[in-house]
Amino acid sequence: MKGIYKILTTLVLIVGMVACSDQLEVENPNNQTTFDFGDSETELREVVIACYNRIRLDGTFARVGYTLDAVRGDEVWNSSQQWYLEYDNFNSPGTIGIGDEWPWRDNYHVVNRANFILSNVDEVEMSENAYNEIKGQALFLRSLAYYHLATYYQDVPLITDYAAYSDLETLYSSNNTQDEVFDQIEKDLTEAMNILPSRDAGGEWAEGRATSGAAAGYLARALMFRHKFDLALPILEDIIAGTYGTYALTADYGDNFRESTENNSESLFEVQFMDFGTGGTDEEWTPVNISRVATQGHAVESNFASQDLGSWGDLAGSPWLYNLFKAENSTDGRLDPRLYWTLVSYEPEYSNYTDISTAAYPEGDPRSNIVYQAEITESPRSNIAQGGLSIAKFTNARNNIYASITNGLQCGVNIRLMRYSDVLLRAAECINEISGPNQQAIDYINEVRERVALEELQLADFPTADHLFEQIANVERPKEFGCENGRGIDLIRWGFFYDAARLQQLTEHGYYVTDGTANTDALTAATASNSSFNTYTPGNEYFPIFQGTLNANPNLVGNSANKNEPADKWDARPIVN
């Protein structure tokens, strides 16, 4: 009997092993993975859309990722004295998620998706046009993410192959130098610039897709960050000439911040948000949330707007910026219209502007622009406790769409990341850096000034490159782009953090008072409560890499902010009046 049992047991084992070698495998078609996705044009186009989705997160451009650069500039201060305070004061310990981790995390989500496309697109059969469209957008969006990673965190891992994520040795990448990252950005944007359609192709290419013009504009930005002015200028001149699509200043400066005038003639690239009230209900703050009913809006308004009007009241415009606007009126004597669209100050003059054209041009002129609304009779406070001037851009303060602010990812005003006015002012800056002031540089600046009817600049008033640079850096750019993303990056590339006189100038620009009012006084060290730049220490013009990220990746080391070490790279031009 024992022998029979042994024989039966052996047969059972043999049958079992044979059955295991021929088991049924069933794949769930509704649960695709990266191993069985991305082998068709249709699927790669879906991933392109997923890339755009990731630039609409909190850490990219839906709130923190956008406003962090503004708060490290001299035009914005932290009126809540809570959120963003360490970034306003340049002293984050590297353990705070909002600035040390979230932009890093969310921009690498963009990189991850773009790498998936770029690692698969050569293997998929499609037309040349389809190939160029898919690859070009992926190159642009990866470059956009790396541009902000490198200008926020200095030395970051450069990952360009999707296969790197499948191996721990390559997944836990070490730092690349900032120059190595910018080398890749320049390479990618050069290719994207040459293969993407222009906005003139119409359809989606004129309504928010990354275009050849967007790639050219960001390539010029990247080149100028490393002082390659001689390479940036021809690209900027080609944009002006229409090589990469037809661009022009809008007649109304306010059209760049309205929900109803998005993707206009001035826009090189903007982040698309759905109009207020048309999105879902779930707020998609992090990459983990993949709700089908996400809100589709941004929370920049919640940071910028006034607590008196319903926002969180975290950030305020500097009194320096306000007084810069007030120092120069338009040619008909009225205020520079950009003040109205930049800061929420009430000016008695506005009461006379209801339903008539403003400062820029007389009524009836085809260039007549903004129609002022006189809903407020005094300047609202940015923060109820601390005060400050609230910021108007990308908020409802001047859009008048809804009665009160709904905080969170609700605002539908597209975030304009690059405008044609930036092209003109950058072209003037490049000319000045290459050969000093000339009439062409002055003409480019005057084109921007003419829109708001400011008196034309005269070449004779700028005897040296230092004089014209001062005008561009501390008059033209802050008034045109006040409180937008990019000022902090400019201060780094201009070397302002690395020069004692320039740092003192920034300190004076950054004076604010926490008196609970919307104070507009021209402040001094004696009358100010503080300046954001009083606590700056070398190296902290960059944001530290999150300590949790450093702990998780043994190959990663901290940057200049983590180490509190100088990161000076550029010499600043001397200050002139």
Side-chain angles (χ1 to χ4, degrees), residues 11 17 97 207 251 265 280 298 305 312 316 409 411 461 474 512 521 532:
L11 289 172
M17 286 187 289
E207 297 177 356
S265 64
H298 66 75
W312 292 326
L409 299 169
C411 185
D461 292 332
N474 282 324
Y512 60 85
D521 293 344
S532 305

Side-chain angles (χ1 to χ4, degrees), residues 348-405:
E349 188 174 3
Y350 294 166
S351 298
N352 301 320
Y353 288 177
T354 304
D355 298 329
I356 64 171
S357 301
T358 76
Y361 303 102
E363 188 173 7
D365 190 296
R367 300 168 297 177
S368 291
N369 58 5
I370 307 160
V371 174
Y372 280 105
Q373 303 296 322
E375 282 79 9
I376 59 173
T377 56
E378 62 181 13
S379 298
R381 298 164 295 178
S382 172
N383 185 275
I384 292 172
Q386 318 299 337
L389 278 169
S390 65
I391 300 168
K393 286 181 175 175
F394 306 118
T395 78
N396 191 52
R398 306 306 195 192
N399 274 264
N400 301 300
I401 297 172
Y402 35 90
S404 62
I405 293 169

Side-chain angles (χ1 to χ4, degrees), residues 197-202 205-206 211-212 244-247 263-267:
S198 81
R199 63 175 290 125
D200 293 349
W205 302 105
T211 62
S212 59
Y244 302 107
T246 305
Y247 295 99
N263 302 306
N264 57 47
S265 64
E266 189 166 340
S267 177

Side-chain angles (χ1 to χ4, degrees), residues 60-61 63-77 147-148 152 218 221 249-250 252-258 264 266-271 300 304 315-318 320-321 325 337-343 390-395 413-423 425-426 448 451 476-491 494 543:
T60 44
F61 300 106
R63 182 179 59 145
V64 169
Y66 183 86
T67 54
L68 272 174
D69 185 74
V71 79
R72 71 173 163 178
D74 50 356
E75 307 160 340
V76 176
W77 64 281
Y147 177 81
H148 283 85
Y152 279 19
Y218 265 88
R221 281 186 172 180
L249 298 179
T250 59
D252 183 341
Y253 178 75
D255 280 351
N256 295 299
F257 312 103
R258 286 191 180 96
N264 57 47
E266 189 166 340
S267 177
L268 272 77
F269 188 71
E270 56 193 70
V271 186
V300 171
F304 277 4
L315 304 175
S318 69
W320 165 71
L321 180 60
F325 280 118
R338 294 174 296 186
L339 171 59
Y340 179 87
W341 283 97
T342 303
L343 301 171
S390 65
I391 300 168
K393 286 181 175 175
F394 306 118
T395 78
V413 181
N414 284 1
I415 301 294
R416 281 71 157 178
L417 291 186
M418 190 168 190
R419 299 190 279 113
Y420 183 61
S421 56
D422 189 33
V423 172
L425 293 182
R426 283 179 179 273
V448 177
R451 168 165 60 182
E476 304 303 335
R477 290 194 67 86
K479 289 204 289 185
E480 179 68 18
F481 308 113
C483 305
E484 296 180 49
N485 179 283
R487 178 70 174 179
I489 297 170
D490 283 343
L491 298 181
W494 290 333
F543 307 125

Side-chain angles (χ1 to χ4, degrees), residues 31-42:
N31 188 28
Q32 289 180 300
T33 70
T34 54
F35 296 103
D36 55 20
F37 188 82
D39 56 2
S40 71
E41 176 187 334
T42 298

Side-chain angles (χ1 to χ4, degrees), residues 36 44-45 53 105 129 156 490 518:
D36 55 20
L44 288 182
R45 288 190 183 276
N53 177 267
R105 174 198 67 196
N129 285 342
V156 301
D490 283 343

Side-chain angles (χ1 to χ4, degrees), residues 227-235 430 434:
H227 290 203
K228 298 181 179 181
F229 302 108
D230 58 330
L231 298 179
L233 180 58
I235 296 169
C430 285
I434 294 168

